[in-house]
């Protein structure tokens, strides 16, 4: 049976990550960084493009979980002869180690009786294309060489090598352990000393438990919030502070479709969502690292600001198709890189300045040059805010005058004014206030349509857009403004299916469900935020709980979801989905949270949590 995106769990070392299927197969891993070429690419190809299988040969059932509040995955296999657990994890890389060593550990522990296992490791570099040279250097150590890469497997079982594949058959009895330690290093580096699998497991567990102790959220959804925070931490570089939108490429928005994008980059549209989720959960250090990454990434001329950057801040991300990969369940093409880096997206200026303003408000000291940068960004917005752009959803069919983009241009100016007024910073007061007023007036005149009753997707269309749920969240208009209330009602009529929100109008089948793509999960959390800000707290909690039920068995969310099949769609796991979950949980916990803070509401205005 073909796998579903739901079938995967995530492990990682805060510099790269691997997907582990429910049947014990690891079939996606990029080494040494998130955006490096994959050496296990079976998920977007086949077994010959790279997999690491570890499971009983037949007749098994499996259940899995994360070990407490950690990123250590446990998959328990039961057979007629016994039971055993496979423990998968990647010890968190220290800053000193860098690319010198990254490690993936698998430990098989017998629990009852005796269980037979098959192990097959197929490493293929350059997204499954290049076959490595395999050498058995010493007992139980096999090395795979390919250009700049070397991967070493050290194991406690006997292996055989055939056609550049490493295989093993072994049994594990109750109380017995077998270990597999896979090291990555650059080929010019010396082989690092072997790690003790059991000691490394204990160290990794301590690291994660110490890290999660920082979490200050104590609401009813603590388990979901903490799992989301761990997931986000797995996708955040310890070295740079950048957070990738997802650790994968080309997982489809529609099975068999062409909307297959590379999300292994850091999107500015997520900037404020990220900052507030981390700050409200107690992770000020990570929030400051994210702010610092953003400042470094955008340094330069305002006109050169991009929608996203690499995790290290590189600008270029040329998009190309990988013809030798068949795609996830024949969803082609498979892509590396993302051409949207060259797009003009007006909304990112609002995100940048909003993040810098919120950082200052939450006690993250500003850099000496950050205010001058904000001034230059506002001056640039003053020149370009009337231009059409690619919008929040990064459309590729041509620029439009998107309502949400104009709203975020207003946010850029508004936050700069707020900061200048509060902290007595130098600024052209009259000009900026007039600019803010002009943008606001135009959006209300051209972005709102009395005939359909709500804010529209763009000035050229009469269609709704779920991105307009952000209008009250960013404080452009109050949540109880009649125009906002009508916009939410319009979205409820046109874009919502059983609490699930589509991004914009898409093709529907006879049963009313979308067929063009899945529903966009973050939008449902924004919908819940709107309901709460309107005082509809019970409805907001219903929507939130419905979204929690969509998570897979280990608590992860993708970008999109198909309500008909129950399948997750798009790259996985998706940071924006998990950020939105965290922020909505905080909003609901006390009736006042990130949405209210970003909107500029005072805490006295909070609504009953319900």
């Amino acid at each position: 049976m073909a796998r579903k995106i739901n079938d995967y769990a995530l492990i990682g070392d805060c510099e790269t990550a691997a997907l582990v299927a429910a049947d014990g197969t690891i079939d996606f891993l990029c080494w040494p960084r998130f955006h490096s070429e994959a050496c296990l690419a079976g998920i977007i190809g086949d077994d010959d493009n790279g997999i690491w299988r570890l499971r009983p040969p037949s007749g098994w059932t499996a259940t899995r979980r994360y070990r407490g509040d950690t990123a250590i995955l446990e998959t328990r296999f039961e057979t007629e002869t016994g039971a055993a657990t496979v423990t998968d994890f990647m010890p968190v890389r220290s800053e000193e180690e860098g690319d010198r060593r990254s490690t993936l550990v698998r430990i098989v522990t017998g629990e009852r009786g005796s269980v037979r296992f098959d192990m097959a490791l197929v490493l293929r570099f350059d997204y499954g294309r290049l076959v490595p040279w395999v050498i058995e250097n010493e007992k139980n150590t096999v090395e795979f060489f390919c250009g700049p890469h070397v991967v070493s497997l050290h194991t406690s079982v006997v292996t055989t090598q055939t056609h550049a594949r490493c295989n093993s058959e072994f049994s594990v009895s109750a109380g017995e352990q077998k270990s597999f330690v896979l090291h990555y290093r650059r080929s010019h580096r010396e082989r690092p000393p072997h790690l003790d699998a059991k000691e490394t497991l204990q160290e990794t567990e301590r690291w994660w438990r110490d890290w999660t102790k920082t979490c200050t959220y104590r609401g009813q959804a603590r388990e979901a919030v903490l799992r989301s925070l761990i997931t986000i931490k797995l996708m955040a570089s310890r070295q740079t502070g950048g957070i990738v939108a997802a650790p994968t490429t080309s997982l489809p928005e529609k099975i068999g479709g062409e909307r297959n994008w590379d999300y292994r980059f850091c999107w500015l549209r997520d900037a404020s969502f990220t900052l507030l989720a981390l700050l409200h959960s107690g992770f000020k250090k990570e929030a400051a690292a994210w702010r610092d990454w953003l400042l470094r990434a955008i340094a330069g001329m305002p006109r050169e600001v991009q929608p996203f950057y690499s995790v290290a801040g590189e600008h270029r991300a040329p998009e190309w198709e990988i013809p030798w990969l068949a795609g996830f369940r024949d969803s082609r093409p498979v892509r590396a890189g993302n051409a949207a880096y060259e797009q003009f997206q007006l909304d990112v200026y609002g995100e940048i300045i909003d993040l810098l303003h919120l950082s200052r408000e939450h006690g993250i000291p500003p850099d000496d040059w950050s205010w001058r940068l904000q001034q230059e960004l506002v001056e640039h917005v003053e020149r370009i805010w009337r231009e059409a752009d690619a919008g929040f959803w990064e459309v590729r069919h041509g620029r439009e005058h998107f309502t949400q983009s104009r709203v975020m241009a207003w946010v850029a100016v508004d936050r700069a004014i707020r900061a200048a007024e509060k902290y007595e910073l130098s600024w052209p007061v009259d000009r900026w206030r007039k600019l803010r007023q002009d943008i606001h007036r135009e959006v209300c005149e051209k972005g709102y349509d009395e005939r359909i009753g709500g804010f529209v997707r763009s000035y050229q269309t009469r269609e709704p857009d779920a991105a307009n749920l952000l209008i009250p969240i960013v404080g452009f208009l109050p949540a109880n403004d009649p125009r906002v209330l009508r916009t939410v009602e319009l979205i409820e009529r046109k874009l919502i299916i059983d609490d699930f929100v589509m991004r914009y109008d898409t093709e529907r089948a006879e049963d009313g469900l979308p067929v063009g793509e899945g529903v966009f999960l973050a939008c449902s959390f924004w919908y819940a935020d709107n309901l709460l800000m309107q005082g509809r707290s019970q409805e907001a909690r219903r929507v939130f709980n419905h979204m929690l039920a969509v998570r897979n068995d280990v608590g992860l969310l993708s970008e999109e979801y198909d309500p008909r099949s129950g399948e997750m769609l798009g790259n996985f796991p998706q940071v924006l989905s998990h950020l939105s979950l965290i922020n909505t949980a905080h909003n609901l916990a006390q009736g006042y949270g990130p949405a209210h803070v970003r909107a500029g509401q005072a805490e006295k205005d909070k609504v009953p949590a319900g």
Side-chain angles (χ1 to χ4, degrees), residues 268 271 289-299 352 355-356:
L268 299 192
W290 171 242
R291 191 281 311 268
D292 292 345
W293 171 87
L294 182 141
L295 282 173
R296 293 193 304 271
I298 67 170
I352 294 167
L355 175 139
L356 295 175

Side-chain angles (χ1 to χ4, degrees), residues 197-230:
K198 188 174 180 179
E199 289 181 4
T200 305
L201 173 61
Q202 293 171 348
E203 292 169 359
T204 302
E205 184 171 3
R206 281 196 299 271
W207 191 95
W208 280 108
R209 293 194 185 280
D210 288 344
W211 185 82
T212 54
K213 286 178 184 177
T214 303
C215 181
T216 56
Y217 176 83
R218 296 292 183 269
Q220 296 178 1
R222 180 171 169 80
E223 176 273 327
V225 168
L226 205 47
R227 180 52 51 197
S228 293
L229 286 164
I230 292 169

Side-chain angles (χ1 to χ4, degrees), residues 270-290:
D270 301 344
S272 295
F273 293 112
T274 303
L275 187 88
L276 289 174
L278 293 171
L279 285 172
H280 280 256
S281 301
F283 294 94
K284 188 173 181 178
K285 178 181 177 182
E286 283 77 8
W290 171 242

Side-chain angles (χ1 to χ4, degrees), residues 217 528-529 532 537 540-542 544-545 583-593 596 608-610:
Y217 176 83
D529 295 338
L532 180 66
S537 57
R541 188 165 295 281
R542 183 203 72 230
F544 178 72
N545 289 335
N583 286 330
T584 301
H586 281 289
N587 294 334
L588 286 166
Q590 297 179 338
Y592 182 85
H596 309 83

Side-chain angles (χ1 to χ4, degrees), residues 440 444 448 450 453-455 477-478 480-488:
H440 199 280
C444 292
Y448 186 82
E450 288 284 356
F455 283 97
L477 286 172
N480 59 1
D481 185 283
R483 292 163 293 185
V484 173
L485 296 174
R486 293 187 69 189
T487 299
V488 173

Side-chain angles (χ1 to χ4, degrees), residues 61 72 151 213 252 263 279 290 344 385 389 492 557 608:
T61 59
I72 300 168
V151 174
K213 286 178 184 177
Y263 272 17
L279 285 172
W290 171 242
F344 166 54
W385 71 271
D389 76 322
E492 288 173 333
L557 289 170

Side-chain angles (χ1 to χ4, degrees), residues 349-358 361 371 374 377-379 381-382 406-423 425 427 429 431-440 471-477 596-601:
Y349 295 96
E351 282 291 339
I352 294 167
I353 298 179
D354 195 22
L355 175 139
L356 295 175
H357 174 65
L358 290 167
E361 291 284 274
W371 177 242
Q374 292 175 70
L377 290 172
V378 173
E379 290 170 1
V381 169
E382 187 175 19
R406 291 294 205 280
V407 168
M408 292 308 295
W410 175 89
V411 168
V413 184
D414 176 73
R415 300 310 193 260
I417 292 173
R418 286 196 210 177
E421 290 178 335
K422 183 171 182 177
Y423 300 104
L425 303 168
W427 59 297
V429 52
R431 198 173 85 230
W432 283 7
R433 284 177 176 158
K434 182 180 184 303
L435 175 60
R436 180 175 62 178
Q437 183 180 18
D438 289 344
I439 298 173
H440 199 280
I471 287 174
I473 293 174
V474 300
F476 183 82
L477 286 172
H596 309 83
V597 170
R598 197 173 181 193
Q601 290 185 359

